[in-house]
Amino acid sequence: MSARAWAELLRLPALFTVPGDVLAGASAVPGRPGGRTLLAACSSLCLYEAGMALNDWADRAEDAVERPHRPLPSGRVRPAAALTAAGALTAAGLALAARAGRPALAVATPLAATVWAYDLVLKRTPAGPVAMAAARGLDLLLGAAATGPARGSVRRALPSAALLSAHTLALTAVSRHETTGGAVLPPLAALTTSGALGLLLARELPAGRGAAPTPGPPGSAGARPWTARHPLDRVLTAAYTALAARPYLHAALHPSPQLTQRAVGGGIRATIPLQAALCARAGAPVAALCTAALAPLAARFARKVSVT
């Protein structure tokens, strides 16, 4: 059981798409990210990797036929070790969330339950993409719950969580056909979704911390906070749309397994600029830049470690 085999099992390059969830959630609420935000990010990473290990354990029989090179069917990692790792990582994730505070634990608990339910029960059912989308949304809310005040933090982050969940739902629907291809509707729906998300990100939506109030009509009780448009916001939104839309379009026009797999890879890579755009839209340019910086790191690491 080499380190490389474990890196393949845990799909380490995909791990770079995780911290942006917590940063986007933290950006959507008042207050500055701190120690509790860091604990939430570590919790998120543990729960994500628990899902990766559990995924291969649950799919070990199928992978023996379709992906015999994967760590479990090839014998490079024992199934019992993968299951043990999934349990240990889940426990660690919940413990870290508890250290981040009760609101964070209240979000991390259903997140962990969703991860296990998806891998063990829901993955091959119509509810599979919905469960995966819910997990991503909860991951973002984990960052909000750990960073903001006890009341209202999760509610403030719901719009950002909804956008990230919509992207994940479309991507997961496409991924269900990556080994067989032949499906036109899922990549076409994902293409439409990415375009709609780009348009929504381009709108001026209620902001989190750092926003300036827009002037209200004469005699109004108060002005509602909105995020001022920022060049970084526009650049990241354009990057997300371009990165996601092109491979989805190719897969819709020619739904071969190869192009479908490329569409899935493009959708995964587009997650990072989407998270960064959510940070920038909420008035957190530093968090947006930190998140965007993960993209080249993920690409560089992916060239060294196979994730398929």
Side-chain angles (χ1 to χ4, degrees), residues 215-221:
S220 62

Side-chain angles (χ1 to χ4, degrees), residues 96-197:
L96 288 164
R99 290 290 302 275
R102 286 186 179 181
L105 181 60
V107 177
T109 301
L111 171 58
T114 302
V115 168
W116 281 73
Y118 173 81
D119 282 332
L120 297 181
V121 179
L122 301 176
K123 184 189 306 181
R124 293 176 181 82
T125 72
V130 177
M132 182 63 75
R136 273 289 183 181
L138 286 168
D139 204 30
L140 187 148
L141 296 178
L142 176 60
T147 305
R151 286 190 174 185
S153 295
V154 170
R155 185 173 63 253
R156 283 175 173 268
L158 284 176
S160 294
L163 295 180
L164 182 60
S165 294
H167 165 76
T168 306
L169 177 65
L171 170 60
T172 307
V174 175
S175 72
R176 290 159 74 95
H177 303 277
E178 62 180 332
T179 59
T180 59
V184 175
L185 187 57
L188 186 60
L191 175 64
T192 304
T193 300
S194 62
L197 291 178

Side-chain angles (χ1 to χ4, degrees), residues 51-136:
M52 293 296 100
L54 186 63
N55 174 79
D56 273 35
W57 182 84
D59 287 353
R60 61 194 185 280
E62 178 182 328
D63 285 346
V65 176
E66 297 183 355
R67 302 180 184 89
H69 61 280
R70 290 291 298 162
L72 264 63
S74 66
R76 290 178 292 143
V77 175
R78 295 190 299 271
L83 183 60
T84 301
L89 286 165
T90 300
L94 292 175
L96 288 164
R99 290 290 302 275
R102 286 186 179 181
L105 181 60
V107 177
T109 301
L111 171 58
T114 302
V115 168
W116 281 73
Y118 173 81
D119 282 332
L120 297 181
V121 179
L122 301 176
K123 184 189 306 181
R124 293 176 181 82
T125 72
V130 177
M132 182 63 75
R136 273 289 183 181

